[in-house]
Amino acid sequence: MKLKVTLACGALLMLLTACARQVKQEAATSEPPASSVIKPVRVSAENRDAAEPALATGGDGTAYIVWVEHQQNKEADVMLAHLDSDGQVLGAPVRVNPKPGKATAWRGDPPTVVVAPDKTVYVGWTARLASEARGNDLYLSASRDGGQTFEPPVKVNDDGKAVGHGMHSLAVGEDGRVYVAWLDERNAQKTMAMGQTGAMQKMEHMESNREVFMAFSTDGGRSFSKNQRIAQEACPCCKTALAAGANGHVYAGWRQVLPGEFRHIAVAASEDGGKTFQSPRIVSDDRWMIAACPVSGPALSVADNGALQVVWYTEGERSTPGLYHAESLDNGKTFSESRPLARGQGRGTPLLLAGGKSGASVVWESNEGGESRVVSVPLYGDEKTANAAPVASGGELPSAAVSGDQLFVGYIARTNERRSIWIVRAKAVA
């Protein structure tokens, strides 16, 4: 199955606009209590074009936020800042990529950040190749001094080809093992297709679906295992997801392309720390047929009782457009019937946040009426639903993390066509 590049990205905005539905009225009209959301703090520098935020909590009430500063000539830098428990930046932000301007990112593939049990801060990011060839490499950088300095980055992909390695995800197990998953095109075949006129002079590239690859590190990110392919025919612009549970259980998620251009969320499980994976399982038969890429992957989380939680966006003949939730109680072998979590249009990949005194919650970008804003809602395991609570007006493509009963949310704000990164702290919804 092939996708036209022109459809892969350009059709998304038209599609979502056309398919937009009204978000729950409570989410549309209610405003947060004055004391529930703390005044936003800008973390990116002024006069810089900053985007693609990602957040992780430090385990001590603090948080880390990474983002990408875009420059001319497609140059970019991955930046990291340490935030105190009040959301204020501690010291000056640090550049993660050692060589200035060599990073790369776009809204569907931001950098990733996690904090290990030993307090090591890991950042996953992609880098442009030294030559002019198309493609990138996937790297992991580690800081063992609270984000003040980073060791030389370690390349994760082992193919050595000038192809794409992106839409990556990052997780750390309770034993400190580091997991990375991504979409890979090392085996993709590029073809040419005739234009509608049939004239040879009008040729268009066709873009293949991707394969899902996985690697892990048992030495603190200093080296990685041989890359392992765990799935084929993955939607090429939908982000992967990872979740690490207890006793070596690891889960990888992505959007699978099925015959007929149906695009459904799939999950593969490992019970041996990522050495082997079971056959992928489709989470829900949503019957969403779309010959384009939604740029929206799944969110995964493992509850304290071992249940695997999955949240995703979908449309289709069996689903009203919106966010949906399902869970697996048998380590990813089977999944419950999906249930609606939030009706209406959402942009990007939702965020599923486990833990905290208020339990799990979901954060996403709502686009009701063409206006972007960040909202959150608690995730209940039964049929109980709750109203979405606004977190930030005008925010785009958020990232979030929970520390205790505090919700840290990073997002993009636009001023005169320039983007900047802001952080807001709120009470985790209950």
Side-chain angles (χ1 to χ4, degrees):
M1 290 177 284
K2 307 292 183 180
L3 293 174
K4 288 188 177 180
V5 172
T6 52
L7 285 175
C9 296
L12 173 67
L13 293 178
M14 296 175 60
L15 173 74
L16 291 181
T17 300
C19 295
R21 298 292 188 271
Q22 184 178 8
V23 179
K24 289 183 178 181
Q25 189 65 27
E26 296 88 348
T29 60
S30 62
E31 292 297 330
S35 60
S36 66
V37 177
I38 311 301
K39 184 178 179 180
V41 175
R42 180 173 182 158
V43 297
S44 62
E46 294 186 9
N47 301 320
R48 296 296 182 97
D49 183 28
E52 292 91 41
L55 264 167
T57 52
D60 56 359
T62 67
Y64 294 89
I65 183 170
V66 295
W67 68 93
V68 177
E69 288 188 351
H70 294 271
Q71 305 157 25
Q72 295 180 349
N73 301 319
K74 297 184 178 180
E75 294 188 346
D77 292 319
V78 178
M79 307 298 296
L80 177 137
H82 192 187
L83 309 170
D84 66 16
S85 58
D86 293 325
Q88 302 295 320
V89 177
L90 296 169
V94 175
R95 189 181 72 238
V96 177
N97 48 295
K99 195 168 184 179
K102 291 303 180 181
T104 181
W106 65 288
R107 71 177 182 86
D109 190 21
T112 51
V113 58
V114 296
V115 180
D118 65 358
K119 307 303 181 185
T120 300
V121 181
Y122 295 106
V123 177
W125 55 283
T126 53
R128 295 185 296 115
L129 301 179
S131 67
E132 294 298 321
R134 178 185 178 276
N136 58 14
D137 283 323
L138 177 58
Y139 286 91
L140 184 78
S141 292
S143 173
R144 307 184 201 279
D145 58 6
Q148 299 180 61
T149 62
F150 280 88
E151 297 174 355
V154 175
K155 191 167 75 168
V156 180
N157 58 286
D158 61 9
D159 57 311
K161 293 185 177 182
V163 297
H165 312 87
M167 316 306 291
H168 69 283
S169 49
L170 179 64
V172 177
E174 60 182 10
D175 59 354
R177 182 172 295 202
V178 184
Y179 303 95
V180 184
W182 67 95
L183 298 186
D184 197 295
E185 60 177 352
R186 68 184 69 183
N187 299 317
Q189 298 294 321
K190 296 294 179 182
T191 61
M192 301 292 287
M194 299 285 284
Q196 291 182 354
T197 63
M200 289 299 294
Q201 65 268 24
K202 186 176 181 181
M203 304 287 283
E204 295 181 352
H205 284 283
M206 301 287 286
E207 186 175 21
S208 298
N209 295 324
R210 300 291 188 261
E211 296 176 327
V212 181
F213 270 74
M214 168 83 178
F216 61 85
S217 173
T218 59
D219 58 3
R222 297 176 177 88
S223 66
F224 276 88
S225 64
K226 180 179 175 58
N227 294 178
Q228 176 185 184
R229 185 179 69 185
I230 60 177
Q232 297 175 284
E233 299 296 343
C235 192
C237 296
C238 291
K239 192 172 177 66
T240 61
L242 276 173
N247 302 319
H249 286 90
V250 186
Y251 306 95
W254 63 93
R255 192 178 291 276
Q256 184 75 31
V257 182
L258 300 173
E261 294 290 1
F262 291 103
R263 294 170 191 268
H264 299 162
I265 299 303
V267 168
S270 172
E271 297 182 353
D272 55 11
K275 295 178 182 179
T276 61
F277 278 83
Q278 300 169 4
S279 299
R281 304 293 200 270
I282 298 299
V283 175
S284 176
D285 183 13
D286 299 325
R287 304 294 294 172
W288 188 12
M289 183 175 65
I290 169 178
C293 193
V295 195
S296 180
L300 307 180
S301 180
V302 181
D304 291 341
N305 64 358
L308 174 64
Q309 310 292 335
V310 188
V311 170
W312 70 98
Y313 178 85
T314 190
E315 301 175 15
E317 61 188 59
R318 294 184 182 176
S319 302
T320 300
L323 294 184
Y324 287 77
H325 165 249
E327 70 174 359
S328 173
L329 301 178
D330 56 6
N331 300 320
K333 295 180 179 64
T334 62
F335 288 86
S336 66
E337 289 292 327
S338 65
R339 70 174 182 87
L341 181 65
R343 307 282 191 182
Q345 181 184 356
R347 181 173 181 242
T349 299
L351 305 158
L352 176 53
L353 309 173
K357 297 179 181 179
S358 301
S361 58
V362 179
V363 174
W364 77 98
E365 178 189 337
S366 169
N367 292 105
E368 182 201 3
E371 280 189 36
S372 299
R373 65 174 181 171
V374 181
V375 296
S376 67
V377 69
L379 179 67
Y380 296 109
D382 52 23
E383 295 302 315
K384 182 180 178 183
T385 60
N387 298 334
V391 175
S393 299
E396 298 180 10
L397 300 174
S399 183
V402 171
S403 179
D405 63 350
Q406 294 295 308
L407 174 66
F408 291 87
V409 178
Y411 60 92
I412 302 170
R414 293 180 180 268
T415 305
N416 299 325
E417 300 303 320
R418 189 180 294 276
R419 298 170 295 179
S420 57
I421 303 300
W422 293 74
I423 188 80
V424 66
R425 184 169 54 89
K427 289 289 186 181
V429 292

